[in-house]
Amino acid sequence: MRDIMYVYGGCMKKRLYRVEDGQMVCGVCGGIAEYFDIDPTLVRLFWIILLFCVGTGFIAYFVAALIIPYKSQI
């Protein structure tokens, strides 16, 4: 968890990023799971529920993959 934090102005801040290791598609769910310190499977299930129930899961995932940088780019 400490590797996703950095010191800026004397306080610790968490950064949201996509993971490169252990990614299934674009690494968005893995990055979100590391940010909230939860299992990536739960985040993936949430995206699938959004996809099938609401229909916005694909659009939200695509936008997140475009906006959120990889960990190596931070």
Side-chain angles (χ1 to χ4, degrees):
M1 184 72 166
R2 290 184 183 170
D3 59 284
I4 64 170
M5 295 184 171
Y6 69 100
V7 177
Y8 181 75
C11 63
M12 299 293 280
K13 291 190 176 187
K14 292 181 359 178
R15 296 291 308 253
L16 181 60
Y17 55 81
R18 294 187 287 158
V19 294
E20 296 166 326
D21 57 330
Q23 70 180 16
M24 295 287 239
V25 179
C26 291
V28 174
C29 292
I32 291 173
E34 284 188 18
Y35 183 82
F36 290 109
D37 197 26
I38 58 176
D39 186 24
T41 306
L42 295 175
V43 178
R44 290 180 183 118
L45 286 173
F46 175 74
W47 284 110
I48 290 173
I49 289 170
L50 277 179
L51 177 66
F52 289 116
C53 292
V54 184
T56 59
F58 179 75
I59 296 169
Y61 191 90
F62 181 71
V63 170
L66 291 175
I67 294 174
I68 301 172
Y70 279 113
K71 183 177 181 179
S72 62
Q73 294 174 338
I74 296 178

